[in-house]
Amino acid sequence: MTTFVDRVELHVAAGNGGHGCASVHREKFKPLGGPDGGNGGRGGDVILVVDQSVTTLLEYHHSPHRKATNGKPGEGGNRSGKDGQDLVLTVPDGTVVLDKKGNVLADLVGEGTTFVAAQGGRGGLGNAALASARRKAPGFALLGEPGDVQDIVLELKTVADVALVGYPSAGKSSLISVLSAAKPKIADYPFTTLVPNLGVVTAGSTVYTIADVPGLIPGASQGRGLGLEFLRHVERCSVLVHVLDTATLESDRDPVTDLDVIEEELKQYGGLEDRPRIVVLNKIDIPDGQDLADMIRPDLEERGYRVFEVSAVARTGLKELSFALAEIVAKARAAKPKEEATRIVIRPKAVDDAGFTVTYDEQEDVYRVRGEKPERWVRQTDFNNDEAVGYLADRLNRLGVEDELMKAGARAGDGVAIGSEENAVVFDWEPTMVAGAEMLGRRGEDHRLEAPRPAAQRRRDRQAEHDEAQREFDEFNPF
Ligand SMILES: Nc1nc2c(ncn2[C@@H]2O[C@H](COP(=O)(O)OP(=O)(O)OP(=O)(O)O)[C@@H](O)[C@H]2O)c(=O)[nH]1
Ligand SMILES: [Mg+2]
């Protein structure tokens, strides 16, 4: 059984971020040095890039699981962990990226077009980076975030200017082989072509691409023959060419009914109505073929088709055909808006979403907090470390989560879930604990041990706090 490789399911996993390090500088005779734990490295992204020398998705059919490397954890002595390496996957021009539900995530057309299919996790901050004027010696670090894991589907929609359609053995592949340098498989049995062939044609000053699709038969729309699946390859073309066989000896077929049948199947497929069409009568090197062509030509012209008589084998009528196609293609290109020359980078989701929502989830009897920031902060928290948990509470409080919980009607002891239903951290709310913490000061410090701060010091501390918030914001908004 032949496998079709113009549609594959791909499982991609970006690298995890490395954990931050909690460490205290040690030096002889200086027992209490400052915090010197470095940050974890970023996990590598999984990136799809169009490479025009790649023509199939075969590679991904054979190995559909791909993972980028993890970031390394930070170390003491302020050493940051190394970033993970991005995994770059090359795909053919015209690859469409879909999610498992069939939604289009990206349509990759043009050399170098890039799509980040899975984003690497951020590295966690080490305790050196977490230190501030008010939290001089944090005894914790942030965890690295897990990288994205995505199931995606890649579909190839050939990017060709001209598409050849017709019955099996009408001579579509033969035509490509004589119009271009492509060498597709040609044989006198039906369904020789199983995946589209692509050729480049030069006619005068116009260069265009031409593709065939596996042969169509009546009922293709119901899945007969190879079905209509391959018609997606003609969706991007600017002109359709009906290749009709004038030399078949089957009693129930003649070129005009063949044309009607194919048109009916195209209609079933849909979306191709606006494409100009021309008719090629092939195999006129055979005397009966020429006679039949002469006979049906007026009928076809009456229907409004431009008709070309050719022989792919004797190589006649090809020049006229290739120049006529060039003209149609040039016209279609002129009508299209100019393509962006720049590389497009498409990310699977927006980078920033500063907001959050609090809703009461009746089913689970919890107040559910959703939002990019709070959910990220939870992922970064080492719940075995009380100080880290306290830091999380401070962050949530500062974002206003506590206030919103209060407004939503939450009382002490109520369940609060941060995150989606499948993936949430649930805890009992203790608003007084946080209020108490505010009174006592932030985690990692204790007012009672310090002399009252002079005004200038308080100002500096406020500035430091502001800087920290800014850093957090910057870290979250790389652009
Ligand atoms: N005499 C003659 N035979 C031709 C001509 N063009 C193609 N053929 C023959 O017709 C047969 C089918 O040709 P292909 O080019 O493989 O046909 P196809 O339309 O690509 O067929 P599928 O891939 O099966 O859909 C081969 O044996 C070719 O040699 C022609 O102009 N004259
Ligand atoms: Mg063929």
Side-chain angles (χ1 to χ4, degrees), residues 158-377:
T158 308
V159 183
D161 300 298
V162 178
L164 306 183
V165 292
Y167 264 71
S169 298
K172 301 176 294 298
S173 301
S174 303
L175 258 182
I176 289 193
S177 77
V178 292
L179 287 171
S180 75
K183 292 278 159 277
K185 186 170 173 195
I186 294 162
D188 62 357
Y189 56 85
F191 303 117
T192 308
T193 301
L194 296 176
V195 286
N197 299 300
L198 195 60
V200 180
V201 183
T202 309
S205 59
T206 309
V207 178
Y208 59 91
T209 49
I210 183 164
D212 66 359
V213 279
L216 298 169
I217 55 171
S221 52
Q222 277 89 55
R224 279 192 67 204
L226 294 176
L228 288 180
E229 198 197 328
F230 294 97
L231 277 180
R232 69 163 167 271
H233 290 282
V234 312
E235 280 176 27
R236 298 186 203 269
C237 72
S238 22
V239 50
L240 283 171
V241 177
H242 280 290
V243 181
L244 301 179
D245 185 343
T246 59
T248 28
L249 297 170
E250 287 169 46
S251 54
D252 57 339
R253 277 180 57 191
D254 69 88
V256 179
T257 17
D258 284 2
L259 175 81
D260 290 339
V261 165
I262 301 294
E263 271 299 331
E264 181 56 32
E265 298 302 330
L266 293 178
K267 200 172 129 198
Q268 293 296 326
Y269 184 79
L272 298 165
E273 299 78 16
D274 60 336
R275 241 46 68 82
R277 289 139 156 86
I278 67 166
V279 167
V280 166
L281 299 173
N282 188 30
K283 308 195 184 178
I284 57 155
D285 54 296
I286 295 176
D288 286 349
Q290 180 66 69
D291 290 347
L292 188 55
D294 291 341
M295 220 169 76
I296 59 175
R297 189 184 181 115
D299 184 10
L300 291 167
E301 282 176 342
E302 202 164 295
R303 292 203 202 177
Y305 289 110
R306 271 175 86 181
V307 179
F308 296 84
E309 291 175 24
V310 308
S311 164
V313 164
R315 302 188 175 220
T316 54
L318 299 176
K319 198 163 173 193
E320 211 191 336
L321 172 64
S322 69
F323 275 83
L325 288 172
E327 196 186 299
I328 303 173
V329 169
K331 220 184 262 167
R333 283 182 188 162
K336 251 197 218 153
K338 266 242 179 306
E339 263 182 48
E340 290 278 322
T342 49
R343 292 180 174 195
I344 325 159
V345 177
I346 311 152
R347 288 176 187 277
K349 58 182 178 205
V351 177
D352 184 48
D353 162 23
F356 68 93
T357 56
V358 174
T359 46
Y360 178 62
D361 182 336
E362 226 164 291
Q363 208 163 359
E364 311 240 343
D365 188 28
V366 289
Y367 289 87
R368 189 172 296 285
V369 180
R370 295 300 314 263
E372 173 77 33
K373 262 190 178 178
E375 289 177 36
R376 178 160 59 88
W377 292 344

